[in-house]
Structure formats: C-alpha cells, structure tokens
Amino acid sequence: MSVPPDDPRFRREMASAYRSGWHFVDLATAIPHRGDSLKVTLFGEPIVVAREQDEDVRAYRCLRRPRGAPQPIRCAIRYGMIFVNLDQRDHQLIEPETITATPRSA
C-alpha cells in the first residue's frame, strides 16, 4: 500500500511519532516471515527487531553480557513501517497507586 505524501493523516501521525520518542527502523517487508530478524543501531544502541512465531513484530535492546538478557522495548508498525521507542521512561513499570480511604462513621 502506498500513501501519498500529501495525506494529512500520514503527516500528523509521522509528526506525532517523531515528537514522542518513536524512531523509524525499516519497512515491515524487511522481516516478512516468522523467525526473521533485523539488527540495527540507533543512537549507539544495538536493537534487534524480530517477527515472532505468532506473527507479531517485537523489538529488543541488546544489553552487554554482564547486564543480562535482551530488554524488550516498545515496537509498532504504522503504514508498513517499523517504529521503536527508546525512551527509558516509556519502559518503566509503574506501580498502581493505592488509594486509602477512611470511612466516615454515621
């Protein structure tokens, strides 16, 4: 599918992707089959993008051996293009805020 460059939805989504920390990696056709992978370097960090057995595309930050296994990072396909998000704040697990309430006596 080709999208004309003057499509306002395309331009709006691309602007949103670049503003929010999302970075273009490659076209989705670069990893067409299950088990295919692609290794790229973004800002000095090695990233592996793979098409898993369930046909989903996932991305992993490759860490050095002392630090452990590859760290999953957010990955999305939009308009046939693969984007990854390297923002550390986007990958932190957030604990649900517990709200304590004291019931009022009648």
Side-chain angles (χ1 to χ4, degrees), residues 17 19-23 61 71-76 83-94:
R19 239 188 349 263
S20 64
W22 289 91
H23 303 284
R61 176 181 281 128
Q71 175 188 20
I73 57 175
R74 290 187 59 195
C75 178
F83 291 90
V84 295
N85 192 331
L86 297 179
D87 190 0
Q88 289 288 343
R89 294 170 297 172
D90 199 34
H91 303 291
Q92 294 174 355
L93 294 176
I94 299 172

Side-chain angles (χ1 to χ4, degrees), residues 29-91:
T29 57
I31 48 174
H33 306 291
R34 285 184 277 165
D36 289 348
S37 64
L38 174 70
K39 185 174 181 181
V40 296
T41 302
L42 290 174
F43 305 110
E45 293 190 43
I47 306 291
V48 173
V49 181
R51 188 171 296 271
E52 302 286 340
Q53 295 300 324
D54 57 0
E55 293 291 330
D56 284 343
V57 175
R58 294 191 178 91
Y60 303 92
R61 176 181 281 128
C62 298
L63 302 175
R64 307 288 188 265
R65 276 201 180 266
R67 294 190 199 158
Q71 175 188 20
I73 57 175
R74 290 187 59 195
C75 178
I77 296 180
R78 296 286 185 262
Y79 295 102
M81 296 179 282
I82 302 170
F83 291 90
V84 295
N85 192 331
L86 297 179
D87 190 0
Q88 289 288 343
R89 294 170 297 172
D90 199 34
H91 303 291

